[in-house]
């Protein structure tokens, strides 16, 4: 994280002496293994620091800074579009419209959970930016991502995505033990096992 912070571009503008000229996305991939069940659980944690939207009339950005501000505003607009369409439960969400939304697609498309913090300036001169931030937060609050999914990989098989709650998994185990107790020991094929787990 310290290296990422060092690589992040900042510069002074009329509105901010230490203005971020890009977003920052830190992704931590982690793996948990269950040797007894021969399963591997994989996940990712995304920490995102969004650069604030910028009004050129207030920041006085020119040249490279002006292009950076335009790129920041454009990506934030794409992110707002994604949240708006998610809240409307649209059949298509344009995650590929920006690099930011493309990177965040796994945690915004129903496979994960998201928590948003909004920072507001106490300065009355920043009331326009504060209102924009509050409107953005209100838009995000209307989104429902659904239940998070667990990505499980068997140590000797391909990755599968489990969407059923743990109780359903336990119920399947009980049914398998019941079949064995009654003499029905025919094991389902690996393909069928993966199919049931992924539903």
């Amino acid at each position: 994280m310290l290296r990422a912070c060092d690589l992040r571009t900042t510069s002074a503008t009329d509105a901010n002496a230490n203005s971020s000229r890009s977003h920052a996305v830190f992704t931590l991939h982690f793996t948990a293994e269950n040797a007894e069940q021969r399963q591997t659980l994989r996940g990712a944690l995304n920490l995102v620091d969004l650069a604030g939207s910028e009004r050129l009339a207030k920041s006085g950005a020119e040249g490279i800074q002006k292009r950076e501000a335009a790129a920041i505003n454009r990506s934030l607009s794409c992110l707002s579009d994604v949240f708006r369409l998610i809240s409307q439960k649209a059949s298509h969400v344009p995650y590929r419209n920006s690099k930011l939304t493309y990177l965040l697609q796994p945690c915004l498309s129903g496979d994960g959970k998201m928590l948003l913090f909004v920072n507001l300036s106490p300065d009355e001169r920043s009331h326009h930016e504060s209102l924009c931030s509050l409107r953005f937060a209100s838009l995000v609050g209307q989104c429902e991502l659904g239940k998070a999914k667990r990505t499980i990989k068997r140590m000797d098989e391909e990755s599968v995505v489990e969407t059923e709650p743990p109780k359903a998994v336990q119920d399947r185990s009980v049914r398998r033990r019941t079949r064995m107790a009654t003499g029905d020991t025919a094991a389902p094929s690996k393909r069928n096992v993966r199919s049931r787990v992924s539903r």
Side-chain angles (χ1 to χ4, degrees):
M1 292 182 68
L2 292 176
R3 183 185 178 189
C5 290
D6 291 338
L7 294 175
R8 189 178 191 182
T9 302
T10 60
S11 61
T13 66
D14 293 347
N16 191 340
N18 191 29
S19 175
S20 299
R21 311 313 299 164
S22 66
H23 307 301
V25 180
F26 174 80
T27 303
L28 173 64
H29 296 277
F30 57 90
T31 302
E33 294 185 352
N34 188 322
E36 182 178 348
Q37 297 183 7
R38 299 190 60 76
Q39 291 182 340
T40 300
L41 178 65
R42 300 184 184 278
L45 173 66
N46 293 287
L47 302 177
V48 184
D49 183 13
L50 297 175
S53 61
E54 190 172 301
R55 289 190 298 167
L56 297 179
K58 186 175 183 179
S59 67
E62 297 179 352
I64 295 178
Q65 288 186 348
K66 184 177 180 179
R67 292 195 296 271
E68 291 171 342
I72 290 171
N73 292 340
R74 184 168 57 251
S75 63
L76 290 175
S77 177
C78 291
L79 185 60
S80 296
D81 290 340
V82 165
F83 284 127
R84 177 175 55 82
L85 292 172
I86 290 176
S87 66
Q88 295 174 357
K89 302 186 184 301
S91 58
H92 173 70
V93 179
Y95 291 106
R96 293 179 177 270
N97 282 1
S98 75
K99 291 182 179 179
L100 176 64
T101 53
Y102 180 73
L103 286 173
L104 298 180
Q105 180 177 356
C107 58
L108 297 179
S109 57
D111 293 339
K113 291 293 183 182
M114 186 191 72
L115 178 64
L116 174 71
F117 294 93
V118 177
N119 295 322
L120 301 177
S121 172
D123 192 340
E124 292 184 359
R125 293 173 297 179
S126 301
H127 71 279
H128 176 79
E129 288 79 4
S130 296
L131 287 174
C132 289
S133 298
L134 290 173
R135 292 191 186 103
F136 180 76
S138 177
L139 177 63
V140 174
Q142 299 173 21
C143 297
E144 294 182 5
L145 300 181
K147 294 183 178 180
K149 300 177 182 178
R150 296 191 299 174
T151 302
I152 297 177
K153 180 179 180 181
R154 301 187 186 281
M155 294 182 178
D156 54 350
E157 297 180 6
E158 62 186 28
S159 296
V160 295
V161 177
E162 180 179 301
T163 59
E164 295 178 298
K167 184 179 184 301
V169 177
Q170 296 173 3
D171 291 343
R172 289 200 306 272
S173 299
V174 171
R175 288 196 296 271
R176 284 197 293 269
R177 289 197 296 270
T178 302
R179 286 199 302 269
M180 295 181 65
T182 57
D184 184 6
T185 57
S189 65
K190 291 182 178 180
R191 180 178 179 181
N192 291 336
V193 171
R194 291 197 297 272
S195 177
R196 283 200 299 270
V197 172
S198 62
R199 283 200 295 269

